[in-house]
Amino acid sequence: MAFGLGFAAASCGTSTDEARETVALEVWYHAGQPGERAVLEAQAARFNGAQDSIRVSLAFLPEGSYNAQVQASAVAGQLPDLLDLDGPYVATYAWQGHLRPLNGLLPDGVLSDVLPSVRTQGSWHDTLYAVGTFDSGLALYANADELASVGARIPQGPEDGWTVSELDDILGQLRARDADGAVLDLKLNYEGEWFTYAFQPALRSAGGGLLDTSGDTPTARGVLDGDGSSRAAEALQRWLVDGFVDPNLDDVAFTTGRVALSWSGHWDFPRYREALSERLLVLPLPDFGHGTRTGQGSWTWTIPRTSDHPREAASFLRFLLEPEQVLEMAAANGAVPATRTAATRSETYRPGRPLHVLLRQLEEGWSVPRPRTPAYPFASSVFQDAFDALRNGEPVGPLLRDAARTIDREIRDNQEFRRP
């Protein structure tokens, strides 16, 4: 097999008996979807059965408290040989010195096959610390019959997304045919980081964003409270306050036909396709002025600095990045396969298939990562509060200025958010 571990013995300048000693590799994974756990368990079993140099031992930690448990273990110096982290937290662990750079541990040929979006979210200060086997993406799902009824133009790809004014017009026409006037789903039934993941791309599309991380110290002023972010926030607020958005408390607004459009992620495709069949369209998010933008980033693999077996950990990671393994995991969770080779074989994401637009967005630069800085979790929580206020109709300008000041005050008071 491609990961064939002749290299474990070759890397040791010791006797043959010592080289044949089995390395016990401890691997931690968040206890997410049951399907993901089952696939990873099967993959570990296959890896273990194909060679006798490494024995992978899996531990599943509860997802709700995963980051807190990993942080506590990091402080105690008790991290495993390989663990997964949610993409936005990679920068924090890298800044704290807990992660080992992957360059030199994974072959260039393997890394070059990984989608650029995955490498971007796993990098901090131009160093790659994390690589996942799948990525995420956003789309504007649409009911084709409803769009046809109002003569709406159908975008053909990310370069062709509706402008905000086009979407305003489409929403208005759909509303005229709808009993309660709510024709758009923004997943208001979700909570927490969804609002940052889903709507930071809109700010970026308008020329704004959440944080500027290009300098020595990240800053929100001039970005979150700039003209671009304000324009995007005003459009979102208009749709919300004017009643175009279904609260969707039961999470079936789109599948039951209450709305014609749903702003959601790759994970909703299976049930949307089951409900609408050939009437389902997968469209790029609207263009707020600088081209459509989508979210990216998901759970990703890292090798802690404290591991005594980084090469063996990299060997298992290399195995997980083989096309067959990537496709098996993507089939289990519906996410975008993280390598080009796997994606071209995917029945869902390859050219001509329903979700190819999501793959194109990640491959061609239409996606934006959540800001790669230890300040992100705090900035995200502030943005979530700001979005709640925006939903309640508070003036956008003062709202974003206050949010930017709050974020920058926290950054100013915490040296840990600065470059090392």
Side-chain angles (χ1 to χ4, degrees):
M1 299 182 72
F3 66 91
L5 257 276
F7 111 100
S11 65
C12 303
T14 56
S15 70
T16 302
D17 289 341
E18 291 173 329
R20 287 176 179 169
E21 290 182 1
T22 300
V23 170
L25 198 71
E26 187 179 5
V27 178
W28 289 2
Y29 192 76
H30 73 285
Q33 302 178 32
E36 290 180 352
R37 296 197 300 272
V39 166
L40 187 60
E41 287 174 333
Q43 291 173 332
R46 283 196 293 273
F47 181 85
N48 288 339
Q51 45 73 46
D52 57 9
S53 299
I54 302 171
R55 181 64 49 183
V56 170
S57 176
L58 297 176
F60 294 98
L61 281 62
E63 184 171 351
S65 58
Y66 186 83
N67 185 57
Q69 293 183 72
V70 173
Q71 274 287 351
S73 297
V75 171
Q78 297 176 344
L79 290 175
D81 298 297
L82 184 70
L83 80 154
D84 75 327
L85 294 174
D86 200 359
Y89 290 102
V90 169
T92 299
Y93 285 90
W95 176 86
Q96 292 171 340
H98 296 311
L99 304 183
R100 187 184 298 267
L102 296 181
N103 304 90
L105 288 173
L106 292 174
D108 290 342
V110 172
L111 291 178
S112 64
D113 194 36
V114 173
L115 296 180
S117 59
V118 175
R119 298 197 303 269
T120 296
Q121 189 71 67
S123 297
W124 187 59
H125 295 170
D126 301 320
T127 299
L128 183 67
Y129 290 97
V131 174
T133 61
F134 52 88
D135 205 346
S136 63
L138 292 165
L140 195 61
Y141 293 100
N143 184 318
D145 289 350
E146 293 295 326
L147 293 188
S149 72
V150 297
R153 178 180 69 87
I154 306 302
Q156 299 303 302
E159 70 286 343
D160 193 34
W162 290 324
T163 65
V164 171
S165 61
E166 276 186 288
L167 183 52
D168 282 340
D169 182 61
I170 291 168
L171 292 175
Q173 293 186 62
L174 290 171
R175 181 177 192 166
R177 299 167 47 86
D178 189 85
D180 65 2
V183 294
L184 173 64
D185 168 32
L186 295 179
K187 293 296 176 186
L188 299 183
N189 53 301
Y190 289 177
E191 57 185 21
E193 207 214 350
W194 160 253
F195 298 107
T196 315
Y197 173 76
F199 303 118
Q200 189 226 177
L203 306 186
R204 295 287 296 273
S205 172
L210 180 61
L211 284 167
D212 180 357
T213 60
S214 61
D216 289 340
T217 303
T219 181
R221 293 192 67 180
V223 183
L224 180 56
D225 58 355
D227 291 342
S229 294
S230 294
R231 284 194 300 273
E234 287 166 355
L236 291 167
Q237 186 179 68
R238 182 171 64 251
W239 301 332
L240 288 159
V241 173
D242 289 353
F244 289 105
V245 180
D246 190 303
N248 197 21
L249 298 179
D250 53 7
D251 203 25
V252 295
F254 188 69
T255 55
T256 58
R258 290 205 312 263
V259 301
L261 299 168
S262 177
W263 186 309
S264 189
H266 65 268
W267 52 87
D268 263 331
F269 174 77
R271 69 188 185 101
Y272 283 5
R273 185 59 179 264
E274 182 179 3
L276 275 73
S277 188
E278 298 304 316
R279 293 178 295 142
L280 179 65
L281 297 176
V282 186
L283 308 176
L285 296 183
D287 177 358
F288 287 80
H290 293 263
T292 184
R293 294 294 184 271
T294 181
Q296 67 178 64
S298 193
W299 290 88
T300 186
W301 289 106
T302 65
I303 300 176
R305 283 190 180 274
T306 53
S307 171
D308 292 328
H309 310 294
R311 290 188 177 278
E312 289 80 4
S315 181
F316 182 52
L317 177 52
R318 181 179 177 183
F319 167 70
L320 295 178
L321 287 168
E322 289 184 355
E324 296 80 5
Q325 312 310 322
V326 171
L327 285 171
E328 185 177 18
M329 182 59 78
N333 61 18
V336 186
T339 67
R340 292 185 176 92
T341 301
T344 59
R345 302 179 188 176
S346 169
E347 288 301 314
T348 308
Y349 290 95
R350 63 181 170 84
R353 303 305 293 170
L355 293 185
H356 184 60
V357 64
L358 298 190
L359 178 63
R360 282 194 59 199
Q361 290 175 159
L362 300 176
E363 276 196 301
E364 298 175 9
W366 303 97
S367 65
V368 291
R370 283 156 284 184
R372 293 165 292 163
T373 166
Y376 171 75
F378 179 79
S380 178
S381 69
V382 173
F383 181 79
Q384 292 160 34
D385 291 340
F387 189 84
D388 283 340
L390 182 146
R391 290 173 59 179
N392 292 326
E394 293 191 21
V396 167
L399 179 62
L400 295 184
R401 281 195 296 273
D402 287 347
R405 287 171 183 158
T406 299
I407 293 169
D408 282 357
R409 186 182 310 116
E410 182 72 9
I411 292 173
R412 185 174 61 250
D413 293 343
N414 287 272
Q415 295 294 319
E416 66 193 60
F417 293 157
R418 301 172 184 232
R419 283 183 184 264

